[in-house]
């Protein structure tokens, strides 16, 4: 694309976002203060993820995966370094703007589903729309459509304890999708599921990716990472590997 080439030339190979980038980080550090001890969970992460990429972030326990996901998801801020989300410098946003951008641009999926126990699937999926003031009628239509897109039309009025683990995670994915976010961020989304159900959830991410979503899945399981197209490995808070997955190579 002509425009892209022009911009890339302008920026040379410097940091900062280019057209089509969803996530760009430059020398991201996160240090946790633990009494008089400092834990450097991230030690200079440079990352560039483009629209409609399907990325797995891998690494052993304690390597900094969740910390990185929390920064990417604007749930926490870096100790040092820069982060651009869809071209916006996140460090320059106020807390309110950050909350709004998080709600609009990022769909979260967690290992433990994080659903409201006493609410129906429909209500759980409506929650992000309640936070941003979507009118009730539109809310219901969009929540129903999101539940349909994860094949849960028949479970709209069920509560989490009336659903299987895989169904609960599909409700959480519908909730992540309902605002039409630019990124789906999933931290160990199959960690509480048996391997067959986990594969079904990953097949659903495949579908979402095919529909144009940008997907980032954090996992310590190589089998799960292989569903993605690009695998980034993190070790001791730095990126130790970044390559195409077997799906793309073969
Ligand atoms: N809130 C916190 N306070 C202090 N240390 C933390 C906190 N969260 C994570 N850590 C530490 O930071 C490192 C990276 O943790 P984490 O990002 O959770 O790794 P992973 O998700 O790869 O298992 C670990 O050493 C962990 O103990
Ligand atoms: Mg983790």
């Amino acid at each position: 694309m002509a425009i892209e080439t022009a911009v890339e030339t302008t920026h040379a190979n410097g940091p900062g976002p280019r057209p089509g980038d969803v996530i760009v980080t430059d020398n991201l550090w996160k240090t946790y203060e633990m009494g008089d001890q400092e834990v450097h969970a991230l030690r200079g992460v440079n990352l560039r993820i483009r629209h409609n990429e399907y990325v797995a972030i891998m690494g052993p326990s304690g390597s900094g995966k969740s910390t990185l996901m929390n920064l990417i998801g604007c749930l926490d801020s870096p100790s040092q370094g820069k982060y651009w989300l869809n071209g916006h410098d996140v460090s320059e946003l106020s807390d309110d703007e950050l909350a709004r951008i998080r709600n609009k641009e990022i769909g979260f999926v967690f290992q433990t589903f994080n659903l409201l126990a006493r609410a129906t699937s429909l209500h759980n999926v409506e929650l992000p729309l309640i936070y941003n003031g979507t009118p009730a009628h539109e809310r219901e239509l969009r929540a129903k459509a999101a539940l349909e897109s994860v094949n849960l039309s028949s479970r709209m009025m069920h509560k989490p304890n009336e659903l299987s683990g895989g169904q609960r995670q599909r409700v959480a994915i519908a909730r992540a999708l309902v605002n039409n976010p630019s990124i789906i961020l999933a931290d160990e989304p199959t960690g509480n599921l048996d391997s067959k159900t986990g594969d079904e959830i990953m097949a659903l991410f495949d579908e979402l990716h095919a529909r144009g979503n940008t997907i980032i899945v954090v996992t310590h399981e190589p089998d799960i990472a292989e569903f993605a197209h690009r695998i980034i490995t993190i070790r001791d808070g730095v990126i130790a590997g970044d390559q195409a997955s077997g799906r793309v190579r073969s």
Side-chain angles (χ1 to χ4, degrees):
M1 274 188 288
I3 293 175
E4 217 166 291
T5 312
V7 172
E8 281 188 32
T9 312
T10 310
H11 285 272
N13 291 315
R18 302 171 196 152
D21 287 340
V22 179
I23 288 168
V24 178
T25 75
D26 179 33
N27 193 29
L28 218 53
W29 283 71
K30 181 69 189 181
T31 303
Y32 296 108
E33 314 281 343
M34 296 286 289
D36 55 1
Q37 276 207 337
E38 287 191 332
V39 178
H40 298 295
L42 297 179
R43 298 182 295 126
V45 169
N46 299 313
L47 196 59
R48 184 181 298 277
I49 295 176
R50 299 176 60 80
H51 175 72
N52 200 210
E53 276 201 272
Y54 186 178
V55 180
I57 298 180
M58 281 210 75
S61 177
S63 56
K65 303 183 298 297
S66 293
T67 300
L68 180 59
M69 151 141 174
N70 290 342
L71 294 188
I72 289 175
C74 303
L75 292 167
D76 203 354
S77 23
S79 309
Q80 213 189 105
K82 277 201 170 254
Y83 171 33
W84 294 266
L85 174 60
N86 278 325
H88 298 285
D89 182 346
V90 169
S91 61
E92 287 178 1
L93 300 178
S94 68
D95 285 353
D96 280 358
E97 288 170 324
L98 209 54
R100 202 172 322 119
I101 242 186
R102 185 167 58 225
N103 187 46
K104 171 71 197 83
E105 304 291 346
I106 300 166
F108 293 97
V109 178
F110 300 97
Q111 176 172 1
T112 50
F113 322 132
N114 295 15
L115 300 173
L116 283 189
R118 295 155 75 93
T120 62
S121 305
L122 188 62
H123 188 72
N124 267 291
V125 176
E126 281 187 53
L127 280 179
L129 301 174
I130 292 173
Y131 297 141
N132 71 11
T134 307
H137 177 66
E138 185 188 337
R139 218 156 65 201
E140 188 175 323
L141 287 179
R142 283 171 57 184
K144 283 182 171 168
L147 281 162
E148 261 163 45
S149 75
V150 299
N151 298 318
L152 273 187
S153 301
S154 61
R155 296 291 185 276
M156 304 236 191
M157 293 305 158
H158 287 61
K159 292 182 182 156
N161 68 0
E162 299 160 346
L163 298 169
S164 70
Q167 288 170 336
R168 287 179 208 183
Q169 194 57 301
R170 281 193 277 151
V171 173
I173 293 171
R175 180 184 58 190
L177 287 171
V178 76
N179 261 329
N180 212 357
S182 29
I183 325 165
I184 310 269
L185 267 187
D187 194 358
E188 307 275 3
T190 63
N192 277 357
L193 304 174
D194 62 72
S195 63
K196 178 171 170 288
T197 310
D199 284 357
E200 285 165 13
I201 291 298
M202 295 313 292
L204 178 56
F205 282 127
D206 266 6
E207 262 178 59
L208 302 180
H209 174 246
R211 282 185 230 152
N213 284 289
T214 306
I215 300 183
I216 304 176
V217 175
V218 173
T219 183
H220 65 273
E221 296 176 74
D223 295 0
I224 295 297
E226 277 299 329
F227 280 88
H229 294 198
R230 174 181 173 192
I231 302 181
I232 293 170
T233 310
I234 164 163
R235 225 175 277 284
D236 294 332
V238 293
I239 292 181
D242 186 348
Q243 58 190 138
S245 74
R247 278 183 92 169
V248 176
R249 283 199 305 273
S250 56

